[in-house]
Amino acid sequence: MTEPTVRVRFAPSPTGPLHIGGVRTALYNYLFARQHGGQLILRIEDTDSSRFVPGAEEYIIESFRWLGIHFDEGVGIGGDYGPYRQSERRDIYRRYVDQLLNEDKAYIAFDTPEELEAKRGEVKNFQYDASTRGQMRNSLTLPADEVKRLIDAGTQYVVRFKVEPGEDVHVDDLIRGDVKINSSILDDKVLYKSADDLPTYHLANIVDDHLMHVTHVIRGEEWLPSAPLHVLLYRALGWADTMPRFAHLPLLLKPDGKGKLSKRDGDRLGFPVFPLEWHDPKSGDISTGYRESGYLPEAVINFLALLGWNPGTDQEILSMDELIRLFDIGHCSKAGAKFDYVKGMWFNREYILKTDDATLAPAFDKILRQNGITAPMERVTAVVGMMKMKKINFIHELWPLCDFFFIAPGTYSMDDKFTRKNWKETTGAEMSQLASLLEGLDDFSAEAQKAAVDPWAEQTGIKPWNAWRVCLVGTGKGPDMYELAAFLGKEETLNRMHRAIEALK
Ligand code: GLU
């Protein structure tokens, strides 16, 4: 028998912005699909209408577009197994709800929220299961004609899964091995609610994985407790033979201490937990995203890929292609992965160094515009090239390091420590000499300046560079002087020199 084509899915619920942990889950699915020549599906699980948040679906799609995680099928793309939005698949689910009811594997329950609440007050650790369902108002306890009468009268009901107690249920997990749970601890989960004529997550998820020929379910550890129920559901629906393999990924943990990573940690320590900025439609709150904070998508991918998996070597910088080649779902860790956001910044720095100047330039251009500077893109690109090795984590950190490329120093003053140290009695005269020398150059390239200035400095014993820097920058920062002067051009260079000489007299 040949193995079926690998098909995996990322199945978010549009209940708000995508959490960074969800991005990691999608990434692992993507890597797994690509390395097996398989398909990745984007399915929107929107059966819980009470938690639906407008804009969340668009946000999810835009996040993956930015990150370079491509889906082969799904919402926004299409495919042979659609629709891919669960709210558009009501009729499909209804068929399987009926099948389970007809086969006595599920039952109808009329208990109101108030009745359930009362029961919980009465019975400690109440669970709706084999030991209690006989005391409740459902199709197992009520006469058939009463059930029919209630339904005909429009009484709201739910359909519950009839879990048989006392059986060891095995979940075969690619990361965790054989996970065994006794069915007695499971409750009779609600599979369908008449109130909105929609299934719950559990049923819709299983039906869709089956109908969409999903071969592997790769998802966060928080879904592991649902997995035994899912195994039972596959069996009840007669699909045990084609049940997908499971892989429950390790949790992302707080950077500093135990427990699950939360948005609060990001707010407290100052890092984003969402891929893109999110505007909450209800509260109006704005949460920052990786994109808006100045991360390169490649850096985010590389950082997330190593939260829960590593290639087994010291190599940390891995391109998407390398990740696809090396990723190994079976070697993901079981233990949670600390969300080391400082490491994330390090990755961004490394990717800034790796990325070509022209690609980085638009981000810096945006920062320049915010500071009232418009410059041709070649000049923006040139500055990025001269400055990016200055150990910056983000492109926006460039501005205070290199504003002088675009704005002449406002004042020259002995109050500046670097100026005080490098501007001596004789410096004004020396700078005048240098200015005349530069004045005579037709070619003002860095190389041509060097060819003229180096021998002059050698001959006269004058070391002009620090004082020259004072003239052009006003303080002790910036790149190589020849490169800087070449960038400013002859006229601007000489203007700044003359002004400094005057001011520091
Ligand atoms: N809709 C679930 C979620 O929001 C999907 C979980 C799963 O992958 O089965 O994550």
Side-chain angles (χ1 to χ4, degrees):
M1 204 175 94
T2 54
E3 286 287 310
T5 312
V6 163
R7 287 175 58 83
V8 291
R9 82 305 193 269
F10 181 63
S13 299
T15 55
L18 188 60
H19 191 275
I20 199 72
V23 177
R24 200 260 327 245
T25 299
L27 172 63
Y28 282 17
N29 274 284
Y30 175 77
L31 298 176
F32 188 77
R34 283 291 154 282
Q35 73 180 188
H36 287 96
Q39 286 115 39
L40 172 61
I41 304 164
L42 176 62
R43 186 171 74 219
I44 297 289
E45 303 210 321
D46 56 349
T47 55
D48 187 350
S49 51
S50 68
R51 297 185 61 215
F52 179 82
V53 172
E57 181 185 304
E58 292 76 5
Y59 177 97
I60 290 166
I61 290 172
E62 175 61 12
S63 297
F64 291 125
R65 199 198 54 75
W66 178 65
L67 287 160
I69 293 178
H70 305 292
F71 290 84
D72 303 290
E73 275 173 43
V75 169
I77 303 145
D80 294 341
Y81 300 90
Y84 292 93
R85 220 177 262 115
Q86 289 187 329
S87 58
E88 295 166 15
R89 297 171 65 80
R90 273 170 216 273
D91 298 345
I92 299 173
Y93 306 126
R94 185 73 239 198
R95 283 210 295 278
Y96 297 102
V97 172
D98 290 343
Q99 179 188 323
L100 291 171
L101 284 172
N102 292 338
E103 295 177 0
D104 203 20
K105 292 169 178 165
Y107 58 93
I108 290 171
F110 297 100
D111 317 272
T112 63
E114 295 75 29
E115 285 165 350
L116 289 170
E117 201 43 56
K119 199 79 187 169
R120 279 190 206 103
E122 220 173 273
V123 184
K124 202 162 156 253
N125 298 328
F126 170 78
Q127 175 167 286
Y128 209 121
D129 61 17
S131 70
T132 56
R133 63 172 84 108
Q135 310 152 26
M136 309 300 289
R137 283 209 312 132
N138 55 48
S139 58
L140 304 173
T141 58
L142 299 171
D145 54 349
E146 172 70 354
V147 171
K148 187 174 177 318
R149 194 191 59 76
L150 284 169
I151 293 175
D152 291 346
T155 313
Q156 299 297 6
Y157 64 91
V158 299
V159 174
R160 286 183 180 271
F161 188 43
K162 200 163 145 199
V163 176
E164 301 298 347
E167 185 207 338
D168 280 339
V169 184
H170 294 266
V171 178
D172 176 20
D173 190 287
L174 289 165
I175 299 172
R176 290 153 208 281
D178 176 36
V179 180
K180 192 176 77 180
I181 277 181
N182 195 279
S183 63
S184 299
I185 69 161
L186 302 176
D187 62 339
D188 289 354
K189 272 274 174 312
V190 172
L191 300 180
Y192 170 88
K193 294 178 181 161
S194 69
D196 42 15
D197 185 25
L198 274 170
T200 57
Y201 152 74
H202 300 289
L203 185 78
N205 188 267
I206 276 29
V207 166
D208 286 349
D209 282 350
H210 175 72
L211 296 180
M212 295 177 185
H213 300 287
V214 167
T215 57
H216 297 78
V217 167
I218 303 171
R219 60 184 174 191
E221 183 180 331
E222 63 273 30
W223 301 100
L224 183 58
S226 302
L229 168 73
H230 293 180
V231 169
L232 291 176
L233 267 171
Y234 277 108
R235 290 213 314 239
L237 288 158
W239 301 332
D241 290 352
T242 54
M243 182 154 58
R245 306 283 318 263
F246 290 98
H248 290 92
L249 304 175
L251 279 180
L252 296 185
L253 304 176
K254 293 182 188 310
D256 56 348
K258 295 212 181 71
K260 214 175 131 190
L261 173 72
S262 73
K263 169 150 164 29
R264 297 251 308 275
D265 300 317
D267 294 343
R268 183 168 56 85
L269 297 165
F271 63 88
V273 297
F274 302 131
L276 314 179
E277 189 170 276
W278 169 254
H279 296 241
D280 190 292
K282 265 219 209 91
S283 66
D285 289 350
I286 298 178
S287 308
T288 177
Y290 277 81
R291 182 175 66 183
E292 290 72 18
S293 300
Y295 283 83
L296 296 169
E298 296 83 358
V300 177
I301 293 287
N302 196 155
F303 168 50
L304 291 180
L306 296 179
L307 291 176
W309 169 83
N310 68 69
T313 63
D314 290 344
Q315 191 182 355
E316 291 188 289
I317 299 295
L318 294 148
S319 67
M320 191 71 108
D321 285 343
E322 287 171 307
L323 290 171
I324 290 169
R325 197 153 40 77
L326 296 170
F327 180 68
D328 183 351
I329 189 80
H331 280 91
C332 289
S333 70
K334 294 193 207 38
K338 230 185 224 332
F339 194 80
D340 185 355
Y341 68 99
V342 178
K343 188 80 190 195
M345 298 199 279
W346 175 84
F347 273 108
N348 208 48
R349 173 153 96 216
E350 293 297 313
Y351 275 85
I352 286 177
L353 291 175
K354 269 166 63 85
T355 303
D356 61 274
D357 306 339
T359 307
L360 298 171
F364 186 48
D365 185 55
K366 212 168 131 198
I367 307 291
L368 290 179
R369 283 167 197 279
Q370 283 164 9
N371 285 283
I373 308 277
T374 45
M377 203 50 95
E378 310 90 72
R379 286 180 71 75
V380 178
T381 307
V383 172
V384 169
M386 279 183 272
M387 299 302 292
K388 73 176 186 189
M389 61 286 289
K390 298 269 172 188
K391 298 213 162 171
I392 47 156
N393 293 328
F394 301 103
I395 288 294
H396 57 78
E397 290 172 357
L398 279 179
W399 171 246
L401 298 179
C402 66
D403 47 355
F404 55 84
F405 282 103
F406 304 96
I407 305 172
T411 55
Y412 295 97
S413 151
M414 287 297 178
D415 292 344
D416 179 77
K417 211 170 130 207
F418 183 82
T419 304
R420 198 159 60 241
K421 194 163 161 239
N422 292 294
W423 201 277
K424 309 268 149 58
E425 200 89 345
T426 54
T427 307
E430 290 165 6
M431 287 298 109
S432 294
Q433 270 192 54
L434 177 60
S436 318
L437 181 72
L438 295 170
E439 180 98 64
L441 296 179
D442 290 328
D443 177 357
F444 210 67
S445 67
E447 299 74 40
Q449 291 179 53
K450 187 174 165 59
V453 174
D454 278 5
W456 167 78
E458 176 85 12
Q459 242 168 43
T460 57
I462 297 171
K463 292 198 174 59
W465 297 283
N466 284 352
W468 191 18
R469 187 174 297 284
V470 170
C471 296
L472 300 193
V473 179
T475 188
K477 63 182 181 186
D480 171 74
M481 284 310 296
Y482 299 128
E483 279 193 47
L484 171 57
F487 176 87
L488 292 176
K490 190 163 155 183
E491 194 185 328
E492 177 68 8
T493 298
L494 293 173
N495 281 344
R496 289 191 189 188
M497 290 179 78
H498 293 310
R499 275 190 48 221
I501 294 165
E502 271 312 303
L504 290 164
K505 253 190 189 141

